[in-house]
Amino acid sequence: MMRFPISDTSPIRFPGPPPAACDVVVLGGGVIGVMTAWFLAERGLKVTLCEKGRIAGEQSSRNWGWIRQQGRDFGELPIMMESLRLWKSLSQEFGEALGFRQEGVLYLAKTEREIANFETWLAEAKPYGVDSHMMTGGAVAEKLKGSSKAWIGGLHTPSDARGEPWTAVPLLATGAQARGAVILENCAVRRLDVQAGRVAGVFTEQGRIACDQVVVAGGAWSALFLRAEGVEIPQLAVLASVAATEPMAEIFPGNACDDDFAFRRRQDGGYSIAPGSGHDFWIGPDAFRNLRTYLPVLKKDFRSTGFRPAAPKGFPDAWGTKRRWGGDETSPFEGIRVLNPAPNMDRIARVQAFFAEAFPGLGRPRLRAAWAGMIDTMPDVVPVVDRVGRIPGLTIATGMSGHGFGIGPGMGRVVADLVAGNDPGHDLRRFRLARFTDGSALTPGPSL
Ligand SMILES: Cc1cc2nc3c(=O)[nH]c(=O)nc-3n(C[C@H](O)[C@H](O)[C@H](O)COP(=O)(O)OP(=O)(O)OC[C@H]3O[C@@H](n4cnc5c(N)ncnc54)[C@H](O)[C@@H]3O)c2cc1C
């Protein structure tokens, strides 16, 4: 099987060197950090992006590649619609290499309850102007060539899209660089340098960079970084497994799923396949700390979650991971350059079986690669995008909760304007940091 294309042994494409000073340091070279740096540079700010490992080494290369409005939380939907417009213009700049294709997203229902959930979402989504619509079982059967499963209906958004994560995000980083952003790989940010109560710089493993603004877009590592600065976010990391098949006949050109399995047509003629809802979770100190906050989602997801007692050594919430360190000390971020957990092959085997059962004409898909990623999730399944009042100059953009790839360009634009002091153009109250402490009830997003 093919090795995952981005790892800690991949050649460094963005060597630096680090500047002594800039306006904004962005921590994290996933799609959120990259697109934030892109728009900050476009706004004329001097921006440095520090990535501890490789650009897009973690979630931003490992995801399914779905760019979807469908099933979105309504706080995110307007940003996602902007993001889709941005993806279209990015695909004009980068051409086929992004793998951007608007071939639609289709959710498949096996039960009346699922149909009712889709209809509830659709009724609220319609006023936003999305082109989503319900489909009958007959229409679904016509759309999915050769399917043997009797889905009773579906929710379909023809304008939704797909991209090729592991080629797209590194390309977007070259675009940010071309606009003036300095991008550094193998450059962990260890700590903030806070002076007189506000951000004065960062301590990185390659030295101090003076700046008066920092954006934390560290994916699954954000909570660990922020906690060392006295800022708590109830973020946990969930293991999600994926596989890519060998090229096979086309059954649907877009992305589709039910709660058993999900598939997305790939540019190489295969499919990215994954469990529809199953994932795994390693219990660690943060899990205990945040247990109460997570009870509502836990109740919903309990059966689809595989619990394991301890994360591998050095993972963000592993039992032995260091929680305190100084700016001149080696930090946990240098211990694991690229989080590369082993996929759960039992889950992948079940997905192969579901696929073969649903499309008997194609048989059991043969795998070209299998991998996993650590999803940075929040208890209400929507991110934190906010300034930290207690530390002026610090902005958080993290916890995309398993759907940050599609929204990446739009969210990057929003975060850049927030940092630049411009109107972000969308209502960001749903993503405020204080929601975890101000006594308001947490409302989980639809996570459809
Ligand atoms: C299996 C899987 C399937 C998914 N499917 C989809 C999908 O179909 N559609 C969708 O929209 N989303 C999907 N997602 C979610 C999506 O991939 C993420 O929400 C998105 O990539 C998050 O981007 P990010 O930039 O916030 O984080 P990441 O991509 O995780 O990037 C964070 C980066 O920060 C770096 N970092 C952390 N700490 C430091 C530090 N101290 N110093 C320097 N660098 C640091 C890390 O090395 C990492 O590269 C999926 C995720 C997974 C894992």
Side-chain angles (χ1 to χ4, degrees):
M1 287 222 274
M2 187 189 100
R3 255 179 75 110
F4 193 76
I6 308 179
S7 76
D8 51 8
T9 57
S10 302
I12 291 180
R13 292 168 63 186
F14 301 94
C22 65
D23 297 317
V24 188
V25 166
V26 175
L27 176 161
V31 68
I32 301 298
V34 164
M35 292 312 298
T36 299
W38 172 301
F39 286 104
L40 282 168
E42 259 194 11
R43 304 284 180 273
L45 287 154
K46 288 200 180 77
V47 54
T48 306
L49 185 156
C50 298
E51 164 54 52
K52 69 177 168 59
R54 299 294 181 277
I55 290 296
E58 299 195 344
Q59 294 176 87
S60 293
S61 57
R62 291 162 187 270
N63 64 72
W64 296 356
W66 293 35
I67 298 171
R68 66 171 174 88
Q69 305 153 99
Q70 183 163 301
R72 283 267 164 194
D73 184 90
F74 296 105
E76 292 180 2
L77 187 55
I79 304 175
M80 181 60 228
M81 294 174 82
E82 176 184 345
S83 202
L84 192 57
R85 293 193 291 276
L86 288 168
W87 274 108
K88 274 191 230 175
S89 66
L90 292 169
S91 75
Q92 275 158 16
E93 178 168 344
F94 294 100
E96 277 292 297
L98 289 189
F100 178 80
R101 300 282 294 267
Q102 281 184 290
E103 304 278 13
V105 158
L106 175 57
Y107 288 173
L108 302 158
K110 290 186 284 190
T111 64
E112 290 297 342
R113 193 162 165 208
E114 287 167 324
I115 293 281
N117 284 343
F118 295 168
E119 282 172 346
T120 304
W121 180 85
L122 183 60
E124 207 174 326
K126 272 289 171 207
Y128 290 86
V130 286
D131 58 345
S132 311
H133 62 101
M134 295 299 296
M135 287 178 80
T136 62
V140 164
E142 238 167 74
K143 207 148 211 57
L144 295 182
K145 290 177 206 133
S147 91
S148 70
K149 263 201 167 175
W151 286 294
I152 63 170
L155 177 65
H156 182 220
T157 303
S159 63
D160 275 347
R162 58 183 166 94
E164 293 296 342
W166 69 59
T167 49
V169 180
L171 265 179
L172 297 176
T174 64
Q177 193 181 43
R179 281 159 179 80
V182 173
I183 302 187
L184 307 166
E185 290 181 320
N186 257 18
C187 185
V189 179
R190 292 171 167 171
R191 290 292 306 267
L192 298 178
D193 182 8
V194 178
Q195 289 179 20
R198 59 160 303 126
V199 168
V202 290
F203 297 108
T204 81
E205 64 180 304
Q206 297 188 31
R208 180 178 181 271
I209 304 174
C211 63
D212 44 30
Q213 304 244 31
V214 172
V215 177
V216 174
W221 301 87
S222 297
L224 183 65
F225 179 87
L226 289 166
R227 195 148 198 270
E229 303 299 338
V231 178
E232 297 276 350
I233 57 166
Q235 179 190 47
L236 296 177
V238 170
L239 177 99
S241 305
V242 194
T245 72
E246 295 286 350
M248 56 204 295
E250 183 171 290
I251 39 171
F252 179 56
N255 323 325
C257 66
D258 67 10
D259 65 348
D260 289 329
F261 72 127
F263 54 93
R264 187 265 295 177
R265 187 71 171 158
R266 299 172 55 82
Q267 208 173 26
D268 60 15
Y271 281 90
S272 280
I273 59 172
S277 56
H279 47 258
D280 296 275
F281 179 71
W282 282 301
I283 299 167
D286 287 347
F288 279 100
R289 195 174 292 125
N290 297 312
L291 181 64
R292 265 167 60 106
T293 331
Y294 274 85
L295 281 178
V297 259
L298 203 61
K299 270 189 209 151
K300 202 169 142 219
D301 285 354
F302 194 76
R303 285 206 341 215
S304 53
T305 307
F307 292 93
R308 302 190 200 169
K313 189 166 180 281
F315 271 45
D317 194 28
W319 289 99
T321 297
K322 197 156 71 162
R323 310 275 157 171
R324 293 265 173 256
W325 57 92
D328 54 355
E329 286 173 73
T330 304
S331 68
F333 314 113
E334 294 142 83
I336 296 193
R337 297 279 169 196
V338 175
L339 264 180
N340 183 23
N344 181 332
M345 291 311 289
D346 292 339
R347 289 194 190 278
I348 296 292
R350 283 200 290 278
V351 169
Q352 286 174 281
F354 285 131
F355 196 97
E357 189 194 324
F359 303 103
L362 295 182
R364 188 180 172 87
R366 280 184 298 129
L367 301 186
R368 176 173 273 189
W371 65 90
M374 299 300 292
I375 291 180
D376 59 337
T377 194
M378 301 303 298
D380 46 6
V381 213
V382 289
V384 177
V385 181
D386 204 355
R387 292 172 172 279
V388 179
R390 217 169 51 66
I391 308 180
L394 177 61
T395 299
I396 302 176
T398 198
M400 298 292 143
S401 301
H403 40 267
F405 174 67
I407 207 170
M411 196 56 97
R413 202 282 300 149
V414 164
V415 177
D417 277 324
L418 194 65
V419 169
N422 303 329
D423 177 2
H426 297 286
D427 183 352
L428 303 182
R429 277 173 298 177
R430 178 92 170 108
F431 313 127
R432 73 195 191 286
L433 176 61
R435 70 188 193 266
F436 304 113
T437 49
D438 66 5
S440 47
L442 290 185
T443 324
S447 66
L448 281 181

